[in-house]
Amino acid sequence: MSNIYVIVEHFKGQVEDITFEMMGKAKELGDVTAVLIGAKDLASQLGGASKIICVDDPSLNNFNPEAYCKSVDAVVAAGSPDMVLVGNTSMGMDIAAGLSVSQNMPLVAYATEISSGSVVSQLYGGKMNVESSVSGACVVSVLAGSFPADAGRSDGSPVVEDMAAPDLSGLSVKFRKLIEPEGGDVDITAQEVLVSAGRGIQNEDNVPMVEELAAKLGGAVSCSRPIVDNKWLGKTRQVGKSGLKVKPKLYLALGISGAPEHIEGMKDAELIIACNTDPNAPIFEYAHYGCTADLFDLIPALSGKM
Ligand SMILES: Cc1cc2nc3c(=O)[nH]c(=O)nc-3n(C[C@H](O)[C@H](O)[C@H](O)COP(=O)(O)OP(=O)(O)OC[C@H]3O[C@@H](n4cnc5c(N)ncnc54)[C@H](O)[C@@H]3O)c2cc1C
């Protein structure tokens, strides 16, 4: 049976969903060891693993890529796993690349499917899938939203092992402070209904019609990153990897293609409805309902203007 290590991603005292996604998939492939750096108190959330290896040290209390890479490297060197799963996230990408170099293990990034012997990666924002054959030990970085997180949650009783931290003196990267995103007029993470605008809305003059629809549905407007980059809406409305994670009861995606960085922020919405003129847009892989209508026809119809 394969020995799979899952590098636990955590932030502000919570294990991130990507960890549970990876643990669920890893359980299908072999025996799961969770590698928990700098947060031993979170071990109780990792009942889905057979074993948990904890490394703790004051330098690991906050994410520091250099210190985390050294620690993960020490754990992997001692255990010789067949595969190491890391989130393809801002934190995980630092670890995956460093580990690949230090352990001389190939890295397969942007993974959306893993089986014994092959990994499928999603490239160019979902426009292309690449299947890689893997033999021998490797590092795989997994895109958020690829696997169900619930499959990795369980209340089992894994063996918990402590491992001494490697020498973390003289780090060249120092944690200074956590800069929280600025507060906004509306907290989109607390909304039950979000009407989300993507680049398909074409220009700033069309934002008010989306706002009007959101108000009619009793919700708020959110958006993809290009809308913020163009300054049509503020940063506090951005959903995704470099924006906010939302879990509304309804997420209505209008003219959003469904790039992995966007999906990461909204995949857990209870009901996702997408409108996109391109029937091959990746958003339809995540939407519970979808239509290929033109959003400029759909919005007036939903707002009762037709
Ligand atoms: C490190 C990094 C972090 C990132 N973080 C984020 C993030 O937090 N959030 C985020 O959203 N993105 C993020 N991105 C950007 C992301 O990769 C995509 O570029 C972005 O999500 C695309 O936004 P979009 O879907 O609105 O635009 P596009 O990809 O251009 O899609 C527009 C869609 O609108 C459709 N459309 C056009 N006209 C109509 C119409 N009339 N009716 C209906 N549909 C129409 C098109 O078919 C198309 O699918 C990040 C990228 C990187 C590299």
Side-chain angles (χ1 to χ4, degrees):
M1 187 183 238
S2 294
N3 186 11
I4 318 270
Y5 278 21
V6 172
I7 310 303
V8 176
E9 184 158 330
H10 56 88
F11 184 59
K12 288 175 142 184
Q14 286 299 319
V15 175
E16 297 278 358
D17 276 358
I18 182 69
T19 302
F20 297 113
E21 289 187 37
M22 294 189 292
M23 293 219 303
K25 176 46 77 174
K27 278 205 281 190
E28 289 173 21
L29 300 168
D31 199 41
V32 184
T33 297
V35 179
L36 182 53
I37 308 293
K40 189 174 177 187
D41 53 320
L42 299 183
S44 59
Q45 296 182 29
L46 301 170
S50 315
K51 184 163 105 176
I52 304 172
I53 301 176
C54 301
V55 182
D56 267 302
D57 183 271
S59 323
L60 299 167
N61 289 348
N62 290 291
F63 181 74
N64 174 327
E66 191 183 5
Y68 271 56
C69 277
K70 283 188 173 178
S71 304
V72 169
D73 185 42
V75 174
V76 171
S80 306
D82 300 301
M83 186 180 276
V84 181
L85 299 186
V86 188
N88 203 104
T89 58
S90 308
M91 293 183 192
M93 282 191 286
D94 280 348
I95 294 175
L99 183 65
S100 170
V101 172
S102 60
Q103 290 297 312
N104 197 22
M105 290 161 83
L107 165 62
V108 188
Y110 298 97
T112 55
E113 188 45 66
I114 309 167
S115 54
S116 57
S118 93
V119 175
V120 175
S121 303
Q122 196 182 71
L123 304 186
Y124 301 114
K127 293 186 174 63
M128 187 186 281
N129 286 335
V130 173
E131 186 170 358
S132 311
S133 298
V134 291
S135 58
C138 62
V139 182
V140 177
S141 64
V142 176
L143 277 179
S146 299
F147 310 118
D150 282 348
R153 290 194 175 91
S154 152
D155 49 9
S157 312
V159 176
V160 180
E161 231 176 59
D162 289 313
M163 192 174 147
D167 179 10
L168 297 174
S169 58
L171 293 173
S172 49
V173 178
K174 302 251 186 293
F175 175 85
R176 284 283 172 82
K177 66 172 178 176
L178 177 67
I179 301 172
E180 301 271 11
E182 64 203 44
D185 51 344
V186 169
D187 179 3
I188 59 168
T189 64
Q191 299 293 317
E192 295 200 337
V193 174
L194 285 176
V195 178
S196 211
R199 193 161 15 210
I201 67 162
Q202 292 180 5
N203 62 58
E204 189 173 11
D205 295 342
N206 295 320
V207 172
M209 69 193 288
V210 183
E211 286 173 331
E212 195 183 333
L213 175 59
K216 280 234 155 97
L217 296 175
V221 172
S222 57
C223 63
S224 64
R225 180 162 149 175
I227 305 302
V228 173
D229 290 347
N230 285 328
K231 301 197 171 13
W232 300 347
L233 283 168
K235 176 81 178 160
T236 51
R237 303 294 179 123
Q238 184 185 321
V239 172
K241 179 196 264 307
S242 50
L244 294 164
K245 280 191 184 153
V246 296
K247 287 187 184 178
K249 287 193 186 327
L250 168 64
Y251 189 83
L252 178 56
L254 301 170
I256 293 177
S257 59
E261 295 85 1
H262 187 81
I263 298 296
E264 189 173 327
M266 45 62 79
K267 66 184 169 49
D268 293 325
E270 277 179 40
L271 180 66
I272 300 170
I273 302 178
C275 166
N276 194 308
T277 43
D278 176 3
N280 297 317
I283 190 80
F284 290 126
E285 289 169 31
Y286 301 90
H288 301 97
Y289 297 97
C291 70
T292 52
D294 188 315
L295 67 87
F296 295 108
D297 294 330
L298 185 73
I299 294 176
L302 290 179
S303 302
K305 292 199 165 167
M306 286 178 81

